[in-house]
Amino acid sequence: MSSGRSGSDVDKGRRAFLGTAVAATSLLALPASGAPAMPDLILHGGKFTTLNRARPNVTAVAIKDGRFTHVGDDREILALVGPGTKVIDLHGRQALPGLCDNHTHVIRGGLNFNLELRWDGVRSLADAMAMLKQQVAVTPPPQWVRVVGGFTEQQFAERRLPTIAELNAIAPDTPVFILHLYDRALLNAAALRAVGYTRDTPEPPGGQITRDASGNPTGLLLAKPNANILYATLAKGPKLPIEYQLNSTRHFMRELNRLGVTSVIDAGGGFQNYPEDYEVIRQLAEKDQLTIRLAYNLFTQKPKQEKDDFLKWTATSKYQQGDDYFRHNGAGEMLVFSAADFEDFREPRPDLPDTMEDDLESVVRILVQNRWPWRMHATYDETISRALDVFERVNKEIPFGDLHWFFDHAETISDKSIERVAALGGGIAVQHRMAYQGEFFVERYGKAAAEATPPVARILASGVRVSAGTDATRVASYNPWVSLAWLTTGRTVAGMSLYPRRNCLSRDDALRMWTENVTWFSNEEGKKGRIQAGQLADLMVPDRDFYSCPEDEITQITSLLTVTGGRIVYAAGPFVAHDTPPPPAMPDWSPVRTYGGYAAWGKATASRTALQESVASCGCSKRCQVHGHGHAMAWANSVPVADPKSFWGALGCACWAV
């Protein structure tokens, strides 16, 4: 039967349709034939939040050679399907730009991720200690069991840390090291023996080895407020061989992908030496095994030799050398040790030495002369104002121009300092450290002082470049959704309300702080951060709607599908068939094999799989239309009486009979 249209008519109609699609979706390039390039991947049937104000919401995207080529509706995008195009239906799910962490320590964290038992997101000390006991049982000598930051005692129902006696009871022979924020570390007796601390060990500068009445170390190390004693002790532990470090870094990146992260800026770190400790990332980049984009800053390691470090590095390294996956991003966060104001809010603010300005100026001059951007750790306004004196003096002689320099953290930055940063064209990178230390800050400085610490909303309104991140993995968790919850609710992980609504952000502004705003800090504006034609194809599909889910669910968000550069780097749930996980975590006793990562999600994998199968068999895999609960989430809870949706899902309701 004839359709009544000739081949030429069909061709004309198709060309007219494609012309409309091109206009609507900003086609990047056409081959010589004039036909659009066949996409590698099409995602459709979704609710895409593009962050492009000209077209904020679409239902489909096309990706070719790692970039978005078309962003539009299903009719437009599905017309581009070719024989080699992978097509995935999102079935109405939300999709967001891939998240970008403005300050993290992935390079250092990746080297050790497989060795670390993570207490991030664990809600009771009893559960944390049960995890510790199980890990002690499988960890062979001479290895340690390490819990290296990412949590606070405030998140536990018990509101306390374990005692040394409790650690010794669980692990009489296996060394145990627990780092709590930047304020203290707990070592059991076996760990003290392993590191060799005795009554004759001298007190470290800026730190304390607490001792009993006989002068013997108790196992409690304190930053006073210098955290070097904590780091130096941790560095004494066994390290993984390089083949295991490669595997460990891949698993850390996968954990970030599971949470929707597609880019990070690595801020260097103590005991992270360049170029030695960058070799693992370099090898993964060479093998095309990076699943996140990584821009790295160089962090000086030698007090009183900082100038020598930066003279050497500016002579041997070029700013922005590398590619879109692994690229040099300038200097910092440590520029000079005399300017380091450690953020231990249990201790008084440190007074920086009189040499700070001269030390800092000598380094900043080198950086400006070589056109290297920098980032600078600065917790307190007293540090920021003194640094700005230096920056303004150097700028008069050697104009900063378009250098993308910025302060990190800036918890107590003043309005005057914000104005001075704006005048010099700088930026402010905030992190959610107050979500973990807010209670300690309030205890020392009072509730009123904490209400704008940092003053995120004021910085955003001022027009100064500002973005968000975590400062993971030690002082806070790497989970971006904890940061997004903190930005929008103003609450700590323990639930304390820190900020009035005037210092909280809308969910849209918070998301921009984690996506397009970050791109200025890595000098990638217009290249990524949005779902927009021409930009790098980085996105994630959350397991619930970020814009509409209850506030207390934001920290529970994970990704069902994460795409970096058009490549699927993580897939779960309905998209699991598209997943290509890395080899199992090495060594075989790694905590990652049992617990996974944030909130020990891996421990529940088997039960969750069973739940998903049960949900599928009962025919109610979607949310209940009566009570709004999702059965799988509800059944995983133990009679969640505080949440009516989960309560009815756990105990049963009329929809169960469907």
Side-chain angles (χ1 to χ4, degrees):
M1 180 181 296
S2 171
S3 66
R5 299 180 67 191
S6 68
S8 61
D9 288 336
V10 171
D11 289 341
K12 288 178 182 177
R14 178 173 173 79
R15 285 196 297 270
F17 170 77
L18 288 175
T20 302
V22 168
T25 59
S26 303
L27 182 65
L28 285 181
L30 294 176
S33 65
M38 181 178 66
D40 300 319
L41 174 66
I42 282 178
L43 305 176
H44 70 99
K47 297 185 296 183
F48 290 80
T49 299
T50 69
L51 297 184
N52 177 4
R53 290 178 172 86
R55 194 169 190 184
N57 300 291
V58 299
T59 63
V61 299
I63 297 168
K64 176 71 175 177
D65 295 332
R67 291 181 181 267
F68 296 112
T69 57
H70 298 74
V71 175
D73 63 37
D74 283 14
R75 186 179 68 91
E76 298 167 0
I77 305 306
L78 288 174
L80 304 174
V81 172
T85 304
K86 178 191 286 286
V87 180
I88 299 177
D89 188 346
L90 299 187
H91 295 288
R93 291 179 175 84
Q94 183 183 59
L96 305 173
L99 302 180
C100 311
D101 193 328
N102 74 10
H103 182 131
T104 188
H105 299 275
V106 166
I107 294 174
R108 182 181 66 191
L111 300 179
N112 302 293
F113 183 69
N114 283 1
L115 288 178
E116 295 174 359
L117 179 67
R118 304 303 305 181
W119 282 356
D120 309 38
V122 177
R123 304 307 295 180
S124 78
L125 179 61
D127 288 343
M129 293 297 280
M131 293 167 62
L132 184 68
K133 182 177 182 179
Q134 182 172 343
Q135 188 58 41
V136 166
V138 299
T139 301
Q143 293 291 339
W144 299 8
V145 177
R146 316 171 208 215
V147 181
V148 186
F151 79 100
T152 171
E153 64 183 279
Q154 301 294 336
Q155 77 193 39
F156 295 146
E158 298 89 341
R159 294 292 196 273
R160 70 174 181 89
L161 292 172
T163 65
I164 302 296
E166 288 170 332
L167 297 182
N168 286 332
I170 284 178
D173 302 310
T174 302
V176 172
F177 177 98
I178 299 174
L179 176 68
H180 181 258
L181 306 174
Y182 281 159
D183 64 30
R184 64 197 57 213
L186 305 178
L187 283 71
N188 68 344
L192 284 175
R193 292 193 296 270
V195 300
Y197 291 168
T198 69
R199 63 183 300 163
D200 299 320
T201 303
E203 287 294 277
Q208 180 183 353
I209 301 172
T210 63
R211 303 171 192 270
D212 62 20
S214 301
N216 296 308
T218 64
L220 174 62
L221 309 179
L222 297 175
K224 289 283 190 175
N226 192 320
N228 189 63
I229 180 60
L230 313 182
Y231 289 167
T233 305
L234 177 60
K236 294 176 182 290
K239 294 178 173 58
L240 292 171
I242 190 166
E243 62 270 24
Y244 284 31
Q245 290 178 341
L246 290 163
N247 176 277
S248 177
T249 300
R250 292 184 68 184
H251 276 275
F252 187 25
M253 291 191 296
R254 179 168 174 82
E255 171 70 350
L256 294 173
N257 295 152
R258 183 182 73 88
L259 297 167
V261 177
T262 57
S263 292
V264 302
I265 307 178
D266 188 283
F271 295 88
Q272 181 176 318
N273 294 291
Y274 180 82
E276 298 88 342
D277 291 326
Y278 293 67
E279 178 61 17
V280 165
I281 286 286
R282 189 198 65 76
Q283 287 191 29
L284 292 174
E286 193 174 71
K287 296 174 182 177
D288 194 27
Q289 291 180 343
L290 293 182
T291 60
I292 60 169
R293 305 184 190 280
L294 192 150
Y296 62 91
N297 287 74
L298 296 185
F299 181 120
T300 185
Q301 299 291 323
K302 303 171 183 176
K304 301 188 184 304
Q305 298 182 50
E306 300 97 333
K307 183 177 178 180
D308 293 338
D309 270 347
F310 288 112
L311 281 171
K312 177 181 67 177
W313 290 338
T314 53
T316 57
S317 298
K318 184 179 178 182
Y319 170 56
Q320 289 193 313
Q321 69 185 29
D323 57 25
D324 291 332
Y325 275 91
F326 182 44
R327 188 171 52 78
H328 177 235
N329 196 53
E333 66 180 291
M334 183 70 80
L335 297 179
V336 293
F337 281 83
S338 57
D341 61 349
F342 297 97
E343 71 290 353
D344 181 356
F345 297 135
R346 283 179 159 171
E347 294 291 325
R349 176 181 61 82
D351 290 322
L352 302 182
D354 293 339
T355 60
M356 177 266 211
E357 282 83 355
D358 289 343
D359 295 343
L360 184 59
E361 182 170 340
S362 67
V363 167
V364 170
R365 284 183 177 275
I366 293 168
L367 299 177
V368 179
Q369 287 167 350
N370 287 276
R371 309 310 295 169
W372 269 35
W374 68 88
R375 64 190 311 158
M376 179 179 164
H377 166 108
T379 301
Y380 300 99
D381 188 61
E382 289 81 356
T383 305
I384 292 169
S385 61
R386 289 177 64 180
L388 285 168
D389 291 341
V390 173
F391 296 170
E392 289 166 350
R393 185 161 60 247
V394 175
N395 179 63
K396 287 180 180 178
E397 298 180 33
I398 317 172
F400 290 0
D402 59 357
L403 283 179
H404 291 206
W405 68 271
F406 55 96
F407 288 111
D408 275 305
H409 318 314
E411 273 84 3
T412 69
I413 190 170
S414 66
D415 289 349
K416 178 61 176 176
S417 291
I418 294 171
E419 293 172 4
R420 295 172 71 188
V421 171
L424 280 174
I428 300 170
V430 301
Q431 293 80 39
H432 67 316
R433 305 189 310 180
M434 286 290 286
Y436 290 83
Q437 300 190 64
E439 287 82 2
F440 303 131
F441 188 94
V442 169
E443 183 177 339
R444 177 166 293 278
Y445 298 107
K447 181 69 174 172
E451 288 186 349
T453 304
V456 180
R458 287 211 307 271
I459 299 170
L460 192 62
S462 75
V464 170
R465 303 284 187 169
V466 60
S467 63
T470 63
D471 198 8
T473 58
R474 296 179 177 177
V475 72
S477 177
Y478 51 75
N479 187 341
W481 302 103
V482 177
S483 172
L484 285 155
W486 167 74
L487 288 167
T488 55
T489 70
R491 293 198 295 268
T492 68
V493 295
M496 172 186 276
S497 181
L498 282 175
Y499 310 136
R501 281 293 169 180
R502 64 177 179 274
N503 196 41
C504 297
L505 304 184
S506 69
R507 296 194 192 189
D508 192 67
D509 283 341
L511 182 62
R512 291 179 190 276
M513 289 272 286
W514 263 89
T515 51
E516 63 176 5
N517 287 20
V518 183
T519 61
W520 182 88
F521 294 78
S522 57
N523 207 1
E524 295 176 288
E525 289 177 291
K527 181 178 284 189
K528 65 182 184 182
R530 296 180 181 177
I531 298 176
Q532 183 172 325
Q535 293 207 8
L536 295 170
D538 303 343
L539 62 82
M540 59 90 61
V541 177
D543 66 352
R544 68 204 75 188
D545 192 312
F546 167 62
Y547 283 93
S548 63
C549 73
E551 285 185 345
D552 59 2
E553 287 189 16
I554 294 175
T555 61
Q556 300 172 29
I557 293 176
T558 61
S559 180
L560 295 174
L561 186 71
T562 304
V563 175
T564 305
R567 179 173 57 182
I568 296 171
V569 295
Y570 180 82
F575 308 111
V576 70
H578 302 287
D579 194 34
T580 307
M586 300 163 61
D588 57 9
W589 50 266
S590 168
V592 174
R593 287 205 178 194
T594 303
Y595 299 107
Y598 185 86
W601 66 267
K603 182 70 174 174
T605 298
S607 61
R608 286 178 181 170
T609 300
L611 285 173
Q612 289 168 353
E613 292 173 353
S614 298
V615 169
S617 67
C618 83
C620 59
S621 57
K622 296 182 179 179
R623 284 187 176 271
C624 163
Q625 298 304 307
V626 178
H627 301 106
H629 65 257
H631 282 171
M633 181 189 301
W635 295 348
N637 293 323
S638 55
V639 194
V641 294
D643 183 349
K645 293 182 180 181
S646 297
F647 178 86
W648 284 110
L651 298 186
C653 64
C655 70
W656 255 15
V658 175

